[in-house]
Amino acid sequence: MSNWLEIFQGLETLLRSDLLLACTRVGLIALGAMLVYMGTKGILEPLLMIPMGFGMIAVNAGVLLLAGGKFGTLFVDPLITEPGQLVDIMQVNFLQPVYTLTFSNGLIACLVFMGIGSLLDIGYVMSRPFESMFLALAAELGTIVTFPVAVFCGLSYNDAASIAMVGGADGPMVLYTSLMLSKEIFVPITVVAYLYLGLTYGGYPYLIRLLVPKKLRMIKPVPLKKPAKPLSAGIKLTFATVACALLCFLFPVAAPLFLSLFIGVAVREAGLKEFTDFLGGPVLYGATFFLGLMLGVLCEANTLLNPKIFTLLCLGVFSLLVSGIGGIAGGYALYFLSGRKYNPVIGLAGVSCVPSCAKVAQKCVTKDDPSVIILPQALGANICGVITTAILCGIYVTVIPLMGKDKKHESKPAVEVKIEQSNPPMITAGQEIPHQ
Amino acid sequence: MDLLEPVARALMPAGSLEIQISRKSSTIAPMNTIPAIYECLYIYMLAAVISLGIATAIKCIAVVLTAQNAKSEIK
């Protein structure tokens, strides 16, 4: 053996690669280990962070020399799109089938959404619909404000909309939007989104303490004037059906997401216990496990050494921060409108990270006064947050391509759109539409 | 605004029609920022209208169905 390093290819590829790549690989291995540690300690969401951390460690350590002297791994190659190559690579990379058949078409996001839907009790929303929806809209401030900021930073409209969705704090939604709008950089966007979603759990309590004084955090929620009767399952089922149909009509591009969310709700309210257990158990946890693992193995140094990554990192944290501030501002608006009887902390739960944000809001309040229970209101705002984020996802995915502004790379000083039409043929029902 | 372009396409009469839309230079990203602000406001308003519409629908469904339930209970 001329070179002992040839036996240990992970080390060989590390030593033979250029300094930046080698440092990034080592850094990502360390970051993976940190995610596992923080997940185990409960600082970050363990269900996502432990598989993600392990994936990051393995993919950055397990780089080997492939045919032609290229560096690669046996996990997944997200950049292959040519069908023939894809069939070949699916027989080599062990996670490629999961990536190709569930991740890159958004199925895994939809599966997570079905699980979330089956766990949501929309009774919280239905008892205070306007209040909850107002808070959810306020907490979408980051999703809106980040869009022009990202355009200012030089991102195209599609990329700007994808990174702006991080403000919705809903992982599957970011994944879905970036898959639809920015296929080339959806990996870094999704990774950034999920990393930050883990951080919301640790970061938002500081934001609450910074923006809401202790006196206001201890305000007890005012009970409803008329104690509401528990809503029947039929009412909730009717709402799920109407909302699903309406949103699918409005935004067919995001129809898979709406269907996934509301079918989960419908299954729960229809009393189909077997399906509810299936969606809320194996489907949700199985999808979350593979989502975390896949995100981890996609954190390969080569993929993440994208020149846009720093901008995406900054915009992601900006987006979440502004959404948190917007939510609390919404809480303050209700505080003043209610004659200073509303706890502004509930506003933060409008950020749609279900149920983390509602739990964070309740935890912060409990620390100051254990007798204050804001969880029902917070859950209502939280569930509305999911609905508003889905609506914004639908709007972005539908409207951004219509804007036709994704022309950052154009070199012409002026763009002329010329549409000419002369007596188009009438197409009647049943007639075959000719292929263009 | 470019949003009008698909509307114009949809409303185009059967006869020949020519639409010319000229835009000023959009090669430098920050030049797009002002239109992006308008467009994000438009998107937010659209989201707000739909969300509040859904909230109204929730309220209506809850009120109507609860009243129906109460009626049938009395009967």
Side-chain angles (χ1 to χ4, degrees):
Chain A
M1 191 66 61
S2 59
N3 185 356
W4 65 271
L5 271 176
E6 281 175 17
I7 306 169
F8 307 110
Q9 288 197 12
L11 282 175
E12 188 188 8
T13 50
L14 185 72
L15 296 173
R16 275 178 52 182
S17 55
D18 65 79
L19 189 66
L20 179 66
L21 190 66
C23 289
T24 312
R25 273 180 65 188
V26 174
L28 285 170
I29 291 170
L31 181 63
M34 209 168 79
L35 290 183
V36 173
Y37 174 76
M38 291 171 99
T40 318
K41 290 281 168 193
I43 301 165
L44 299 179
E45 175 59 60
L47 290 176
L48 206 58
M49 290 303 154
I50 292 177
M52 190 169 169
F54 266 92
M56 276 168 96
I57 294 169
V59 80
N60 287 292
V63 179
L64 72 166
L65 279 167
L66 299 176
K70 282 198 298 183
F71 291 179
T73 66
L74 295 177
F75 293 91
V76 68
D77 190 341
L79 302 176
I80 289 180
T81 50
E82 204 269 312
Q85 279 183 321
L86 207 53
V87 172
D88 290 342
I89 205 80
M90 276 214 264
Q91 295 168 57
V92 179
N93 289 344
F94 90 106
L95 280 172
Q96 194 75 38
V98 181
Y99 175 82
T100 308
L101 301 174
T102 68
F103 204 83
S104 63
N105 58 6
L107 172 64
I108 205 155
C110 292
L111 292 177
V112 172
F113 244 53
M114 283 181 199
I116 290 174
S118 72
L119 298 179
L120 293 183
D121 182 357
I122 52 169
Y124 294 117
V125 180
M126 296 186 88
S127 55
R128 295 178 178 87
F130 289 104
E131 175 194 309
S132 305
M133 207 57 99
F134 174 77
L135 291 176
L137 275 170
E140 294 295 348
L141 195 66
T143 317
I144 296 300
V145 171
T146 309
F147 178 67
V149 175
V151 172
F152 181 78
C153 292
L155 295 189
S156 67
Y157 267 39
N158 286 14
D159 298 347
S162 302
I163 193 66
M165 279 306 294
V166 176
D170 202 315
M173 221 80 84
V174 180
L175 172 63
Y176 193 82
T177 315
S178 51
L179 271 170
M180 290 285 165
L181 294 177
S182 316
K183 211 142 190 174
E184 303 84 39
I185 57 161
F186 94 89
V187 174
I189 287 180
T190 316
V191 168
V192 165
Y194 273 95
L195 276 177
Y196 283 146
L197 292 190
L199 293 176
T200 56
Y201 209 70
Y204 274 162
Y206 294 102
L207 190 68
I208 292 174
R209 267 174 241 149
L210 189 73
L211 296 180
V212 186
K214 193 175 176 181
K215 197 179 139 196
L216 301 189
R217 294 202 297 265
M218 288 161 63
I219 295 176
K220 286 185 182 167
V222 183
L224 290 168
K225 282 174 192 166
K226 277 190 260 173
K229 279 185 185 174
L231 294 163
S232 71
I235 296 176
K236 293 177 189 172
L237 191 59
T238 311
F239 161 67
T241 315
V242 171
C244 181
L246 188 72
L247 289 172
C248 288
F249 260 125
L250 291 176
F251 308 110
V253 186
L257 271 188
F258 297 133
L259 169 70
S260 307
L261 178 68
F262 288 110
I263 203 162
V265 175
V267 157
R268 176 193 166 102
E269 299 307 336
L272 305 173
K273 195 179 173 303
E274 292 81 2
F275 283 175
T276 311
D277 292 345
F278 173 63
L279 292 181
V283 171
L284 179 60
Y285 290 110
T288 307
F289 173 77
F290 278 108
L291 186 64
L293 188 62
M294 194 54 71
L295 285 168
V297 298
L298 286 172
C299 287
E300 200 198 340
N302 266 325
T303 319
L304 289 187
L305 276 178
N306 187 310
K308 287 180 183 171
I309 194 80
F310 182 70
T311 316
L312 296 177
L313 279 167
C314 295
L315 288 169
V317 77
F318 172 78
S319 191
L320 274 174
L321 185 69
V322 174
S323 282
I325 293 171
I328 292 175
Y332 268 112
L334 288 182
Y335 164 74
F336 287 114
L337 286 172
S338 65
R340 298 171 190 266
K341 287 173 190 161
Y342 195 85
N343 193 327
V345 177
I346 299 169
L348 189 101
V351 180
S352 71
C353 194
V354 169
S356 300
C357 288
K359 273 161 58 181
V360 164
Q362 179 60 56
K363 261 188 185 175
C364 285
V365 167
T366 310
K367 245 183 190 175
D368 298 316
D369 184 353
S371 68
V372 180
I373 305 293
I374 57 165
L375 200 60
Q377 286 92 333
L379 275 171
N382 216 193
I383 296 165
C384 275
V386 178
I387 297 172
T388 48
T389 310
I391 290 169
L392 270 166
C393 166
I395 296 176
Y396 271 135
V397 170
T398 310
V399 171
I400 296 292
L402 290 180
M403 285 176 175
K405 284 258 186 161
D406 206 19
K407 293 181 166 70
K408 191 171 73 73
H409 304 295
E410 276 183 8
S411 53
K412 286 181 188 172
V415 183
E416 282 200 348
V417 179
K418 202 171 185 178
I419 305 162
E420 284 185 19
Q421 192 184 356
S422 49
N423 298 326
M426 286 283 264
I427 296 168
T428 52
Q431 188 184 339
E432 201 175 323
I433 300 170
H435 291 287
Q436 297 290 317
Chain B
M1 230 160 71
D2 283 353
L3 282 171
L4 293 175
E5 193 187 314
V7 180
R9 280 178 200 268
L11 297 177
M12 223 183 312
S16 66
L17 176 68
E18 192 176 275
I19 299 172
Q20 283 196 343
I21 302 165
S22 296
R23 290 187 210 127
K24 287 185 179 174
S25 171
S26 59
T27 49
I28 307 164
M31 294 282 281
N32 277 337
T33 310
I34 303 294
I37 292 171
Y38 286 121
E39 276 149 9
C40 81
L41 287 175
Y42 165 81
I43 286 169
Y44 197 40
M45 274 163 54
L46 194 59
V49 168
I50 295 168
S51 304
L52 294 175
I54 287 177
T56 313
I58 293 173
K59 198 79 192 166
C60 291
I61 290 168
V63 169
V64 170
L65 293 184
T66 310
Q68 266 185 354
N69 284 352
K71 217 174 172 182
S72 58
E73 270 173 27
I74 292 165
K75 275 181 182 174

